[in-house]
């Protein structure tokens, strides 16, 4: 019984370390999004809203949005603009202009920045461990080479076993 519990616990720890933090991040991200939707449904005062106006007379809507710097995360609901994340409260069209009334989602931005910090730290640790992993065998090869040299056996670690390719191939009669 104790072995099964310990095995299960170690399996959970291993799986969390392998990618469970991503599942936790997605859970928190969805809870932040649900909280923002709830506050939008309750109503947000007009002084907390941000207005973004897009001129439609110059071309298609998507091109104008791209020129303005808007990239949609969820079309019509959530977008990125100048490094911030915004949730759309309402949209209106008037006089060949599209006006987006939105609210800055600072909680989600903070969550994303923390997640990317964690990801870069984990990547840096992997790179450091890979560098140390690949430098250790070369040290052992040097030690092994010196020992073999002391015994009078010269070992060529970098000997290629490939042979020269004959061109054209020989014909069979």
């Amino acid at each position: 019984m104790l072995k099964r519990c310990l095995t299960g616990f170690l399996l959970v720890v291993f799986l969390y370390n392998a990618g469970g933090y991503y599942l936790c991040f997605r859970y928190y991200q969805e809870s932040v999004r649900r909280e923002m939707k709830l506050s939008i449904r309750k109503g947000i005062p007009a002084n907390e809203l941000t207005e973004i106006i897009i001129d439609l007379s110059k071309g298609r809507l998507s091109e104008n949005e791209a020129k303005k710097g808007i990239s949609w995360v969820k079309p019509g609901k959530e977008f990125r603009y100048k490094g911030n994340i915004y949730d759309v409260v309402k949209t209106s069209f008037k006089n060949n202009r599209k006006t987006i009334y939105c609210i800055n989602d600072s909680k989600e931005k903070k969550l994303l920045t923390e997640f990317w910090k964690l990801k870069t730290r984990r990547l840096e640790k992997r790179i450091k461990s890979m560098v140390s992993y690949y430098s250790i065998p070369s040290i052992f090869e040097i030690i092994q080479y010196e020992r073999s040299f002391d015994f009078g056996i010269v070992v060529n670690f970098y000997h290629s076993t490939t042979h020269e390719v004959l061109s054209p191939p020989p014909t069979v009669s």
Side-chain angles (χ1 to χ4, degrees):
M1 178 68 179
L2 183 62
K3 285 184 180 181
R4 285 186 181 187
C5 289
L6 183 61
T7 304
F9 175 73
L10 289 175
L11 181 66
V12 168
V13 169
F14 175 73
L15 289 176
Y16 179 78
N17 193 28
Y21 61 92
Y22 179 73
L23 294 175
C24 290
F25 161 73
R26 294 296 292 180
Y27 172 77
Y28 287 128
Q29 186 180 25
E30 286 303 314
S31 67
V32 166
R33 285 181 176 170
R34 270 189 253 117
E35 183 182 326
M36 185 57 73
K37 282 181 186 178
L38 185 65
S39 65
I40 289 172
R41 285 184 192 148
K42 286 182 179 177
I44 297 174
N47 61 350
E48 292 181 19
L49 294 177
T50 305
E51 282 185 29
I52 298 176
I53 300 170
I54 301 169
D55 190 13
L56 300 176
S57 62
K58 296 179 182 176
R60 291 188 333 184
L61 180 62
S62 59
E63 291 174 359
N64 291 333
E65 289 174 347
K67 287 178 186 174
K68 189 89 170 176
I70 295 174
S71 64
W72 290 95
V73 176
K74 289 184 176 180
K77 295 181 181 181
E78 185 176 76
F79 64 91
R80 294 176 193 266
Y81 178 64
K82 294 185 179 180
N84 292 319
I85 299 173
Y86 293 94
D87 288 318
V88 176
V89 176
K90 66 180 179 176
T91 316
S92 67
F93 294 93
K94 191 184 275 187
N95 297 335
N96 226 5
R97 290 181 177 202
K98 178 181 180 181
T99 306
I100 303 173
Y101 298 95
C102 51
I103 187 163
N104 190 353
D105 196 351
S106 58
K107 286 184 180 179
E108 189 172 358
K109 182 184 176 188
K110 183 178 177 183
L111 182 68
L112 284 169
T113 55
E114 291 299 320
F115 176 73
W116 285 111
K117 282 181 189 177
L118 176 68
K119 285 289 281 184
T120 54
R121 272 191 245 127
R122 288 178 64 89
L123 183 63
E124 287 171 358
K125 284 182 182 179
R126 281 187 185 164
I127 290 171
K128 285 179 184 176
S129 67
M130 287 173 68
V131 166
S132 65
Y133 173 77
Y134 286 117
S135 63
I136 289 173
S138 61
I139 293 169
F140 286 126
E141 286 175 4
I142 292 168
I143 292 169
Q144 194 174 10
Y145 181 80
E146 286 178 359
R147 283 186 184 162
S148 64
F149 188 76
D150 289 339
F151 292 111
I153 302 169
V154 177
V155 178
N156 185 1
F157 288 101
Y158 304 107
H159 184 321
S160 175
T161 59
T162 58
H163 300 288
E164 185 178 326
V165 177
L166 299 175
S167 180
T171 58
V172 178
S173 338

